[in-house]
Amino acid sequence: MRIPILVIHGGAGSWRIDSGFLDEVKKALVNALVNGFKLSYDGSALDMVIEAVRTLEDSGVFNAGIGSTVDLSGNISMDAGIMFNDKAGAVGYVKYPKNPVLLAKYVYEYTDHILIVGSAADELAKKFNLAPHPGPNKRWIKLYREYMEKIKQGEKVATYYGKSLKLWMNIGDTVGAVALDKNGKLAAAVSTGGVFLKLPGRIGDSPIPGAGFYANKCGAAVSTGVGEYIISTYLALRAVDEICRGVDVITASKKALEILTNRFGANTAGIIAIDRDGNLYAIYNTEAMPWGYIDGDGNIVLGGLPKTL
Amino acid sequence: MRIPILVIHGGAGSWRIDSGFLDEVKKALVNALVNGFKLSYDGSALDMVIEAVRTLEDSGVFNAGIGSTVDLSGNISMDAGIMFNDKAGAVGYVKYPKNPVLLAKYVYEYTDHILIVGSAADELAKKFNLAPHPGPNKRWIKLYREYMEKIKQGEKVATYYGKSLKLWMNIGDTVGAVALDKNGKLAAAVSTGGVFLKLPGRIGDSPIPGAGFYANKCGAAVSTGVGEYIISTYLALRAVDEICRGVDVITASKKALEILTNRFGANTAGIIAIDRDGNLYAIYNTEAMPWGYIDGDGNIVLGGLPKTL
């Protein structure tokens, strides 16, 4: 028997927000921790991370689920992935479900596949009677219109982070969770609305095992940040690989992120990780990465919170 | 200056075919080697692998491009990926282009993204004026109808490889290429129609860097076989990682495939790999994996050919 632990994050970024929004961020994190941890008594690490991520998706505070940003066409499209018992399930470029993490769970449970994408994944969500997404929120629609207007007027706008990383990093991105359950098993889950003004159909690291998430018997990790950089350096896999080699979770997370930072610079990514003994760590090369954990001893701790404007 | 080398494969599998079809396989491999190698004089390793894979896609002999199989809905849907200069480009779940590898090249050249999927990727193919796919060939339509008929009559048919791997392994799958160019640079390219009767929207290893393909300064590798198993073990990444550690290309390829075979059994996968000195290797745990290479000394060698019925 282990003392269960659940760790979550709300996205690495600059997070330039006011104090009212910061309160919403904290509340959403605590809600997700509590909801996820409730399942630690009868459920598995997988149940815990899925419920935590589902709560973060529903909060509307983060760029995932209800709070998902829009692509260049003005539409939402989301990615999500889960991993448990050496098996992964994921979805990419989905528009229909309110909770992509639940669709990833169905891919995990009911198919022989790992990753299902696009309109076919949306069809699957309907078959499984998942709740529909209400569409992008007002904040994103407003920002989208502002940028489209600038583009129409010939203003040179950095429409994608290759040109101006900071543009979307102001808002924060992906949400994720890792957990250790009472049986000593580890799980990871992640969900995202992707990057603002991405090309439609673009898939980032979130639905790719080893990039956006990874979990095995040694450890579990989830990534957040620039998807292309995370795919290129296998952030989650590299961290868990190190843990499997006997490296402690702090050094392992640092080393993995260091590879990415050395290659692509700062303000690009973050990671949370946990090992089978319940040691956990959160690290990011951005200004903030709201994260927190809850454990069987009754501790709830939040960290990485942004400074307010 | 290096002596350029191009290595290709036509898919790991049981390949139960007659001698007439074997001749077509050989002809298609030689064509692809010659077409790809023509670009070694003025072009890069990337040009070589893309032209080789494009030729294999157009041959109609392999499960990629023109020869792509169908999913459970009876439609084609294809994946492809390329990697060169530490950068990857890939597409998944595409139905429009005749040559998914060319669309992967456009993602690589003209976007900040790595992976673009679904209808949005097809839209991109149209924007780039790529030639359209003529749809599934008669062989696949016939086989699809046979299986659908059996299913309708209540016959218990293994519709997916989780239930019966051999079903689709009879036909062979993915095509791929790795190359070393005269400047000592390495590239990898891969293309596939996926697995027969897969769920629509399923993405395998082929468009995922590190799984279906990988190339860096040390080496390049491409995988073929059961996509989910290859994603789960990062077949191409593990092989190239070993090469970067100074392990020879033969041992590196063997070790990487061994991890997969130990976990998922035989009849599941194969890999071709090359290092920066032009050492190359092909290995598979299936009955056959038609492959070949061509080099600047004028050698053309074929191997891994299936026995005929």
Side-chain angles (χ1 to χ4, degrees):
Chain A
M1 289 287 287
R2 301 283 174 132
I3 297 171
I5 303 187
L6 171 65
V7 195
I8 63 171
H9 76 81
S14 341
W15 280 93
R16 307 221 168 91
I17 55 177
D18 61 30
S19 61
F21 197 78
L22 180 59
D23 287 341
E24 285 185 57
V25 167
K26 287 191 220 168
K27 195 179 138 190
L29 289 174
V30 171
N31 271 348
L33 287 171
V34 170
N35 284 351
F37 203 75
K38 276 181 195 161
L39 301 181
S40 70
Y41 306 103
D42 296 323
S44 69
L46 182 64
D47 297 323
M48 293 164 72
V49 292
I50 288 175
E51 181 58 16
V53 167
R54 190 199 61 74
T55 306
L56 295 169
E57 286 176 340
D58 281 346
S59 72
V61 173
F62 308 100
N63 177 8
I66 291 288
S68 291
T69 188
V70 295
D71 63 21
L72 260 178
S73 72
N75 295 300
I76 54 157
S77 72
M78 304 165 290
D79 304 336
I82 59 169
M83 193 158 179
F84 183 62
N85 277 341
D86 285 324
K87 203 180 153 219
V91 295
Y93 189 37
V94 296
K95 297 159 180 282
Y96 180 81
K98 179 170 71 77
N99 298 105
V101 75
L102 297 183
L103 186 55
K105 187 189 170 198
Y106 283 120
V107 171
Y108 177 94
E109 282 182 356
Y110 295 110
T111 81
D112 294 304
H113 301 306
I114 288 176
L115 176 52
I116 296 183
V117 302
S119 54
D122 284 326
E123 285 305 312
L124 215 57
K126 289 175 196 168
K127 280 205 170 87
F128 284 119
N129 288 318
L130 284 177
H133 196 289
N137 66 28
K138 283 176 191 168
R139 187 170 60 112
W140 288 117
I141 292 172
K142 187 169 166 282
L143 202 65
Y144 177 75
R145 286 188 185 145
E146 281 169 21
Y147 274 90
M148 288 301 117
E149 196 51 44
K150 284 180 187 172
I151 291 167
K152 266 184 203 155
Q153 289 171 6
E155 198 176 319
K156 225 175 178 179
V157 169
T159 53
Y160 186 64
Y161 57 78
K163 282 86 198 172
S164 170
L165 186 62
K166 279 174 186 161
L167 171 66
W168 70 274
M169 292 301 276
N170 286 346
I171 303 139
D173 64 340
T174 310
V175 303
V178 292
L180 174 73
D181 65 26
K182 59 180 187 223
N183 298 315
K185 289 200 169 182
L186 294 151
V190 62
S191 182
T192 187
V195 289
F196 181 51
L197 300 187
K198 66 185 170 185
L199 274 179
R202 175 266 195 185
I203 281 189
D205 60 297
S206 298
I208 299 184
F213 62 100
Y214 199 71
N216 62 17
K217 282 171 191 170
C218 320
V222 295
S223 318
T224 161
V226 185
E228 282 74 7
Y229 300 168
I230 295 171
I231 295 173
S232 298
T233 51
Y234 305 92
L235 186 56
L237 178 68
R238 296 303 192 191
V240 176
D241 268 0
E242 288 291 321
I243 294 171
C244 287
R245 279 190 208 104
V247 174
D248 68 276
V249 66
I250 297 177
T251 311
S253 306
K254 280 184 178 171
K255 276 180 82 169
L257 186 62
E258 205 173 74
I259 294 169
L260 189 148
T261 309
N262 286 343
R263 190 160 153 202
F264 296 110
N267 268 317
T268 48
I271 184 170
I272 58 173
I274 189 168
D275 69 16
R276 60 182 157 191
D277 297 318
N279 301 302
L280 62 94
Y281 196 59
I283 184 171
Y284 46 97
N285 65 20
T286 53
E287 287 177 34
M289 182 184 78
W291 70 280
Y293 74 86
I294 183 169
D295 66 26
D297 292 332
N299 302 303
I300 293 191
V301 176
L302 299 188
L305 294 169
K307 286 173 193 146
T308 52
L309 294 173
Chain B
M1 290 286 288
R2 302 281 174 135
I3 296 170
I5 303 187
L6 170 65
V7 196
I8 63 171
H9 76 80
S14 338
W15 281 92
R16 309 224 167 88
I17 55 179
D18 61 31
S19 61
F21 197 78
L22 180 59
D23 287 341
E24 285 185 58
V25 167
K26 286 191 219 169
K27 196 179 138 190
L29 289 174
V30 171
N31 272 347
L33 287 170
V34 170
N35 284 351
F37 202 76
K38 276 181 194 162
L39 302 181
S40 69
Y41 307 103
D42 296 323
S44 69
L46 183 63
D47 297 323
M48 292 164 73
V49 293
I50 287 175
E51 181 58 16
V53 167
R54 192 200 60 75
T55 305
L56 294 170
E57 284 176 341
D58 280 347
S59 73
V61 173
F62 308 101
N63 176 10
I66 291 288
S68 291
T69 187
V70 294
D71 63 22
L72 260 178
S73 72
N75 295 302
I76 55 159
S77 74
M78 303 165 290
D79 304 336
I82 60 169
M83 192 157 181
F84 183 61
N85 276 342
D86 286 322
K87 205 179 152 222
V91 294
Y93 188 39
V94 296
K95 297 161 179 282
Y96 180 82
K98 179 169 71 77
N99 297 106
V101 76
L102 297 183
L103 186 55
K105 188 190 170 196
Y106 283 119
V107 171
Y108 177 94
E109 282 182 357
Y110 296 109
T111 81
D112 294 304
H113 300 306
I114 289 176
L115 176 53
I116 296 184
V117 303
S119 54
D122 284 327
E123 285 305 311
L124 214 59
K126 289 174 197 168
K127 279 203 171 85
F128 285 120
N129 288 317
L130 284 178
H133 196 287
N137 66 28
K138 283 177 190 167
R139 187 170 60 114
W140 287 118
I141 292 171
K142 187 170 167 281
L143 201 64
Y144 177 76
R145 286 189 183 144
E146 282 170 20
Y147 274 89
M148 287 301 117
E149 196 50 45
K150 284 180 188 173
I151 290 167
K152 268 184 202 155
Q153 288 172 6
E155 198 175 319
K156 224 177 178 175
V157 169
T159 53
Y160 188 62
Y161 57 78
K163 281 83 198 174
S164 170
L165 185 63
K166 279 177 183 159
L167 172 65
W168 71 276
M169 293 300 278
N170 286 346
I171 303 140
D173 63 339
T174 310
V175 304
V178 291
L180 173 73
D181 65 27
K182 59 181 188 228
N183 298 315
K185 289 199 168 183
L186 294 152
V190 63
S191 182
T192 187
V195 288
F196 181 50
L197 300 188
K198 67 186 169 185
L199 274 179
R202 175 265 194 186
I203 281 187
D205 60 297
S206 298
I208 298 184
F213 62 100
Y214 200 71
N216 61 16
K217 281 170 190 169
C218 321
V222 294
S223 316
T224 161
V226 184
E228 282 75 7
Y229 301 167
I230 295 170
I231 295 174
S232 298
T233 51
Y234 306 91
L235 186 56
L237 178 68
R238 296 302 192 191
V240 175
D241 268 0
E242 288 290 321
I243 294 171
C244 287
R245 278 189 207 105
V247 174
D248 69 274
V249 67
I250 296 177
T251 310
S253 307
K254 279 185 179 169
K255 275 179 83 169
L257 185 62
E258 205 173 75
I259 294 168
L260 189 149
T261 309
N262 287 343
R263 188 159 155 203
F264 297 109
N267 268 318
T268 49
I271 184 170
I272 58 173
I274 190 168
D275 69 17
R276 60 183 157 191
D277 298 318
N279 300 303
L280 63 94
Y281 196 58
I283 184 169
Y284 46 96
N285 65 20
T286 53
E287 287 177 35
M289 181 183 79
W291 71 280
Y293 74 87
I294 182 169
D295 66 28
D297 292 333
N299 302 304
I300 294 190
V301 176
L302 299 187
L305 295 169
K307 285 174 194 149
T308 51
L309 295 173

